[in-house]
């Protein structure tokens, strides 16, 4: 119901709008046609008028050139005679036939001061007249071509005259006089075609002198010898005088709107003009404009009826579409494309709406993906390295449809820059790594295998970065290869690897040097050990010999019979000798230990006997220091011990020897 009421309002509004648009269009077209009709007619009439003026100007210029040639010829012939002589000049003028029709007021020859020396016809009695005070004479003395004088009132005739003057110069170029052809504008002359002709019924022709603004000739006799409008009164007239050639419409100084055309007459300094009141010039245009107005009124009525019928017919499909849209708005019908009934504007509108509907659906899906992408981008902001999606185009270029924010830190560019092209970061590649980088990319694309590569870039501040790429290629729906992966900054890792490699190389060198030093030290130690063993063997042999002699002598003395005191002393000598022999054997054992050949023999020893032997050896030394050695044996102590005999005796003797201290440090009880 809402759609139908809307369509009723739309039909009424559209009908009125279409009717108004039709009427306005008709009248706008009518006004435009009327305006352009006048403009086109003005251009056509102006072109025709300018063509006529140009044709007349060229004819007048031809006539002026014909007369200028005659005057120039006379001046050249008189110049070859040297100084101007009145008789010879008169004779030359009289010999010329046909001058009268060209110069209706005769030809005058003057000297350098402007005094007339000869004239033809002689009846004008111009000889002796002074022309040197005329304004054009100063110009004539320096001219090298004919000079057309401005229109003036003749001194004798009192009529308006113009002259064509040519300086007389000797072969050396010296100015000696002038030849002047005079034309009386009141008498029949070559400008009568202007004076006697009208342009149209009310238009006129006129010739104006540019320098003086004086009208020389005109079909309107009131204009002759009158000065034209002053500067600023008629801008179009001022433009003509400034050199403009063409046509235009302007209000004359008499208050009449006129269509005028102007053309320069060669080098004469004159303007050929024609003027025609616009009332006559555009009479046909105004008649056509009135007919066009009547036609517009009739066409407006007819167009109104047709527009009303056409609008109602054209809006029928739109009404049905409005009903469907209203149902979709209320939710009673799902969103669906509108039917296209005709291939007209309404049909195009339905097609456009269907496209818009599809675009909205696609945009909603896109916004959903964008929201998800932004959420992922926020999550990946705190992930070290750049997570990316990279696709390669057929021409070899590539782009990043997705790149996390870490791209700013790694490459110094924003993710948006890389969405269309990856050239900005490709330019950062170090030259030495470029071929290896793209070769790995091509191999990954060809074999559809994992893309792994380490490469270097040079950042904007000149620093070198090592980057590691790890990505997996896949084919998308369009058949393009798309890589999904990440890029990390491995500059620190590369630096550490480089440092470890340097340490490894240095460590190998250090181990090699240390091994050589140890080998040398081992050789030195082995040599010293061999020398020590040799020394110990020699020393033990040297000590054993006298020691065996002492032991043997003590044994012999003991057998020969001795006192108890002597026997005790001999026993002590034997015990000390035995102890010294054991020390020598121990020294030899050191050599056996170095050679790894030492063997230990375990046996049971009596501790009391061992300690008594030690006391007997050390008692005299202790008595010399005021000490008394005594052994107190406890019942709880073991009387025997299993040990290596020689070692135990050495230990006990060594302990007793170390007790050789000051008296206050020794124990009275041992």
């Amino acid at each position: 119901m809402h759609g139908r009421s809307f369509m009723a309002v739309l039909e009424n509004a559209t009908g009125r709008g279409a009717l108004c648009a039709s009427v306005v269009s008709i009248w706008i077209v009518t006004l435009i046609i009327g305006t352009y009709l006048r403009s086109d007619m003005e251009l056509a009439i102006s072109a025709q008028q300018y063509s006529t003026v140009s044709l007349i100007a060229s004819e007048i210029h031809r006539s002026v050139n014909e007369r200028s040639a005659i005057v120039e010829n006379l001046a050249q012939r008189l110049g070859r005679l040297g100084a101007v002589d009145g008789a010879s000049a008169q004779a030359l003028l009289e010999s010329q036939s046909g001058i009268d029709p060209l110069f209706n007021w005769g030809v005058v020859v003057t000297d350098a001061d402007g005094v007339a020396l000869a004239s033809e016809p002689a009846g004008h009695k111009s000889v002796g007249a002074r022309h040197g005070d005329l304004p054009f004479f100063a110009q004539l003395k320096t001219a090298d071509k004919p000079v057309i004088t401005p229109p003036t009132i003749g001194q004798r005739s009192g009529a308006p005259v113009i002259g064509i003057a040519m300086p007389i110069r000797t072969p050396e170029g010296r100015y000696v006089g002038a030849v002047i052809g005079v034309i009386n504008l009141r008498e029949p002359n070559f400008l009568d075609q202007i004076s006697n002709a009208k342009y149209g019924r009310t238009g006129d022709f006129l010739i104006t002198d540019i320098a003086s603004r004086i009208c020389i000739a005109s079909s309107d006799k009131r204009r002759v010898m009158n000065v034209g409008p002053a500067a600023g009164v008629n801008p179009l007239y001022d433009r003509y005088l400034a050199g403009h050639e063409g046509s235009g419409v302007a209000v004359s100084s008499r208050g009449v709107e006129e269509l005028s055309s102007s053309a320069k007459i060669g080098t004469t300094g004159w303007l050929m003009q024609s003027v025609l009141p616009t009332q006559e010039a555009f009479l046909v245009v105004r008649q056509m404009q009135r007919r066009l107005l009547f036609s517009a009124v009739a066409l407006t009525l007819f167009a109104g009826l047709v527009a009303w019928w056409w609008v109602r017919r054209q809006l029928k499909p739109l009404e049905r579409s409005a009903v469907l849209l209203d149902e979709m708005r209320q939710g009673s019908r799902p969103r669906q494309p509108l039917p296209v009934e005709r291939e007209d504007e309404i049909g195009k509108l339905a097609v456009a709406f269907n496209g818009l509907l599809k675009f909205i659906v696609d945009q909603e899906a896109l916004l959903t993906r964008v929201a998800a992408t932004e959420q992922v981008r926020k999550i990946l902001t705190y992930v070290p390295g750049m997570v990316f999606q990279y696709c390669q185009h057929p021409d070899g270029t590539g782009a990043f449809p997705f790149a996390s924010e870490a791209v700013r830190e790694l490459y110094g560019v924003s993710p948006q820059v890389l969405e269309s092209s990856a050239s900005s970061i490709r330019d950062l590649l170090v030259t030495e790594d470029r071929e290896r980088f793209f070769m790995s990319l091509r191999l990954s694309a060809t074999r559809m295998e994992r893309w792994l590569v380490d490469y270097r870039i040079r950042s904007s501040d000149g620093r070198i970065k090592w980057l590691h790429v790890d990505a997996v290629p896949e084919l998308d729906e369009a058949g393009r290869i798309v890589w999904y992966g990440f890029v990390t900054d491995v500059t620190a890792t590369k630096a550490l690897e480089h440092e470890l490699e340097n340490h490894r190389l240095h460590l190998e060198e250090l181990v090699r040097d240390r091994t050589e030093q140890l080998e040398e030290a081992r050789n030195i130690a082995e040599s010293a050990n061999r020398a020590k063993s040799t020394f110990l063997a020699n020393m033990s042999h040297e000590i054993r010999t006298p020691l065996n002699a002492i032991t043997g002598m003590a044994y012999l003395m003991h057998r020969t019979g001795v006192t108890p005191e002597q026997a005790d002393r001999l026993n002590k000598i034997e015990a000390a000798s035995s102890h010294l022999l054991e020390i020598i054997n121990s020294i030899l054992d050191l050599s056996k230990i170095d050679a790894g050949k030492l063997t230990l023999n375990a046996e049971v020893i009596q501790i009391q006997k061992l300690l008594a032997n030690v006391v007997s050896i050390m008692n005299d030394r202790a008595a010399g220091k005021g000490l008394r050695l005594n052994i107190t044996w406890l019942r709880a102590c073991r009387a025997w011990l299993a040990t290596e005999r020689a070692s135990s005796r050495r230990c006990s003797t060594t302990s007793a020897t170390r007790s050789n201290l000051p008296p206050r440090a020794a124990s009275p009880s041992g």
Side-chain angles (χ1 to χ4, degrees), residues 122-159:
H124 290 171
K125 298 179 180 181
S126 298
V127 177
R130 303 185 64 86
H131 301 279
D133 56 348
L134 296 177
F136 68 87
F137 238 86
Q139 177 186 359
L140 189 62
K141 291 179 180 180
T142 58
D144 57 356
K145 60 183 180 180
V147 175
I148 299 176
T149 67
T152 58
I153 302 298
Q155 297 175 353
R156 296 180 180 274
S157 63

Side-chain angles (χ1 to χ4, degrees), residues 26-86:
I26 291 173
W27 283 99
I28 289 176
V29 170
T30 302
L31 294 176
I32 292 175
I33 291 176
T35 302
Y36 278 102
L37 180 62
R38 176 186 171 93
S39 176
D40 293 342
M41 289 295 293
E42 180 180 340
L43 291 176
I45 296 173
S46 298
Q48 183 180 4
Q49 185 183 34
Y50 179 73
S51 176
T52 302
V53 169
S54 299
L55 182 62
I56 297 174
S58 63
E59 178 61 24
I60 294 175
H61 186 239
R62 184 195 63 76
S63 300
V64 172
N65 285 342
E66 180 182 5
R67 288 160 175 78
S68 297
I70 293 174
V71 172
E72 186 176 5
N73 180 50
L74 291 174
Q76 289 176 353
R77 293 175 65 180
L78 290 172
R80 286 194 291 269
L81 298 177
V84 179
D85 177 69

Side-chain angles (χ1 to χ4, degrees), residues 608 632-638:
Q608 284 182 318
T632 302
W633 189 258
L634 300 178
R635 292 182 180 272
C637 294
R638 295 176 60 182

Side-chain angles (χ1 to χ4, degrees), residues 208-215 226-232 234 237-238 241:
T208 303
D209 181 65
I210 297 175
S212 62
R213 290 179 171 252
I214 296 176
C215 178
N226 287 327
V227 180
N234 189 335
Y237 181 73
D238 294 339
L241 293 180

Side-chain angles (χ1 to χ4, degrees), residues 97-257:
S97 60
I99 291 181
D100 292 344
L102 298 177
F103 300 100
N104 59 6
W105 211 242
V107 178
V108 178
V109 177
T110 69
D111 60 9
D113 295 326
V115 178
L117 301 178
S119 69
E120 177 65 26
H124 290 171
K125 298 179 180 181
S126 298
V127 177
R130 303 185 64 86
H131 301 279
D133 56 348
L134 296 177
F136 68 87
F137 238 86
Q139 177 186 359
L140 189 62
K141 291 179 180 180
T142 58
D144 57 356
K145 60 183 180 180
V147 175
I148 299 176
T149 67
T152 58
I153 302 298
Q155 297 175 353
R156 296 180 180 274
S157 63
V161 296
I162 57 174
I164 301 176
M166 181 68 189
I168 301 173
R169 299 187 185 277
T170 63
E172 295 79 14
R174 184 168 54 89
Y175 172 73
V176 295
V179 177
I180 305 173
V182 184
I183 301 171
N184 189 336
L185 297 178
R186 287 184 181 174
E187 300 293 330
N189 58 81
F190 69 98
L191 298 179
D192 287 346
Q193 57 180 329
I194 302 301
S195 302
N196 300 328
K198 297 285 287 183
Y199 187 69
R201 291 184 295 103
T202 59
D204 296 302
F205 291 105
L206 62 150
I207 299 175
T208 303
D209 181 65
I210 297 175
S212 62
R213 290 179 171 252
I214 296 176
C215 178
I216 300 173
S218 174
S219 54
D220 185 1
K221 298 300 187 290
R222 296 172 298 176
R223 297 176 184 264
V224 178
M225 293 306 294
N226 287 327
V227 180
V233 175
N234 189 335
L236 182 60
Y237 181 73
D238 294 339
R239 289 182 61 198
Y240 290 154
L241 293 180
H244 173 70
E245 293 185 301
S247 303
V249 176
V251 178
S252 68
S253 58
R254 295 177 295 178
V256 179
E257 186 182 55

Side-chain angles (χ1 to χ4, degrees), residues 568 571-572 575 611-621 629 631:
D568 181 59
N571 289 334
K572 290 179 179 180
L611 294 178
N613 187 27
V614 171
V615 170
S616 66
I617 294 173
M618 303 301 296
N619 193 29
D620 291 340
R621 295 177 61 185
L629 296 179
I631 298 176

Side-chain angles (χ1 to χ4, degrees), residues 437-510:
F437 176 84
F438 289 110
M439 178 62 72
S440 65
L441 181 61
R442 287 193 293 270
L443 288 176
S444 176
T446 303
R447 301 174 182 176
M448 293 300 291
E449 61 184 16
R450 192 174 180 182
W451 181 23
L452 293 171
V453 64
D454 292 343
Y455 67 99
R456 292 170 294 172
I457 64 170
R458 188 181 301 276
S459 57
S460 58
D461 57 1
R463 293 188 298 113
I464 298 296
K465 290 184 181 179
W466 273 97
L467 301 181
H468 172 72
V469 178
D470 190 344
V472 177
E474 293 182 4
L475 288 176
D476 63 359
E477 298 176 355
R480 298 180 306 174
I481 301 177
V482 180
W483 282 267
Y484 300 88
F486 64 92
V487 179
T488 56
D489 188 346
V490 294
T491 304
T493 304
K494 289 292 182 180
L496 183 59
E497 290 178 357
H498 181 69
E499 185 176 356
L500 289 176
E501 180 65 19
N502 290 338
H503 280 300
R504 185 184 66 79
L505 296 176
H506 180 67
L507 183 60
E508 290 180 355
E509 182 180 354
L510 185 62

